[in-house]
Amino acid sequence: MVDYSVWDHIEVSDDEDETHPNIDTASLFRWRHQARVERMEQFQKEKEELDKGCRECKRKLAECLKKMKELELAEPESGRGELEKLQAEAQQLRNEEKSWENKLEELRKKEKNMPWNVDTLSKDGFSKSVFNVKPEEKEETEEQKEKKHKTFVERYEKQIKHFGMLRRWDDSQKYLSDNPHLVCEETANYLVIWCIDLEVEEKHALMEQVAHQTIVMQFILELAKSLKVDPRACFRQFFTKIKTADQQYLEGFTEELEAFKERVRGRARARLEKALREYEEEERQKRLGPGGLDPVEVYESLPAELQKCFDVKDVQMLQDTISKMDPTEAKYHMQRCIDSGLWVPNAKGGDGAERGAGEAAPPYEEIKKENGGGGAEHEEAKP
């Protein structure tokens, strides 16, 4: 049987009461509502304090019981006095817990008997909002992008190059209408790389032509991004704007084209400089002597009088020059010549002492012998 008694204790809504004509009805309703809200807040606060006190009492009781168990296991005999103390504390906490629970039960009964009002008469069973939004696309990794670009180029490279060679707006629009799959980032990226390759090959006029088509594709992609649509759905809009001589739009296109061509020239210069540095380093590695030094660098670091000896390939002049130098300095420079392969010790006959000299030259060790035991000075100069 349905219990309708709850409807006997409904607090009438503020705006349904009749008031005296001399009373400000709006203010009276506002004061009544405020008083009722304050009573409800006070009741809720009291309920929260009781809940908190009950939980705290349960926590202390659990800790006390845990200590008792540990004490019983660790010191069953010697800890008897402490154990009795804990048992008394546990009993007290149980009594407090029961007291808290009784207070909570009384509060629940009081809450159940409270009259309903406009604020408590009904509550949301559930609340749900549904938005039809486009799910965010998962960002591709660099490896995935590279693989996608490679696959696209292998399949459509011929068509991309054909588009890059077109000059008239109408031709470009018609070609993209026939091949809408070309309206994408991969086409723009390929055209950029092609422009740099052409500039490196010094095909400047062709580079400028392809650069024009590159900016066409980039403008279409930017327009699609601003309109939040697929690029294939808006490339005709780009050609309409550009062909109707929208002056501001055309100026923006021209400025971006010139800036792009300048960037291509800069990238091409950087690529050539890098290739040159790599070539020079490769040649340098080939020149390195047995000690890992570059003969060109060693030669340039030699004193002018030693450089002259290697220039004229005069061994006697080299020996005379070394004999006049400080032994430590002479030894330093000749050791660097050996490590770079500029001077080859113990070379005999037609092998030569200087790399690439093509003439015979006695080893540096024989300088001492030529001077017939010249004392400590020549002994230090021996490598």
Side-chain angles (χ1 to χ4, degrees), residues 318-326 330 367 371 377-378:
L318 178 63
Q319 293 172 345
D320 294 342
T321 302
I322 290 176
S323 64
K324 296 174 184 177
M325 292 176 65
D326 176 75
I367 295 175
N371 288 277
E377 178 181 347
H378 298 288

Side-chain angles (χ1 to χ4, degrees), residues 293 298 302-303 306 321-339 343 364 367 376-383:
L293 297 181
V298 171
L302 293 174
L306 282 180
T321 302
I322 290 176
S323 64
K324 296 174 184 177
M325 292 176 65
D326 176 75
T328 303
E329 184 182 3
K331 182 177 180 180
Y332 168 75
H333 286 300
M334 291 308 296
Q335 184 60 49
R336 281 171 56 81
C337 289
I338 293 170
D339 290 341
W343 181 269
Y364 172 54
I367 295 175
E377 178 181 347
H378 298 288
E379 183 64 25
E380 291 179 8
K382 181 179 178 181

Side-chain angles (χ1 to χ4, degrees), residues 45-61 92-108:
K45 185 179 179 182
E46 184 180 353
K47 184 178 179 182
E48 289 173 357
E49 289 177 354
L50 287 175
D51 281 333
K52 183 179 178 182
C54 188
R55 286 196 304 271
E56 183 66 18
C57 184
K58 288 178 183 293
R59 184 186 65 79
K60 288 180 180 179
L61 179 60
Q92 184 181 353
L93 288 170
R94 287 192 185 96
N95 294 336
E96 289 182 8
E97 181 186 15
K98 189 175 181 180
S99 175
W100 284 112
E101 288 177 349
N102 289 336
K103 290 179 182 179
L104 276 171
E105 185 62 29
E106 290 177 4
L107 194 68
R108 292 191 190 102

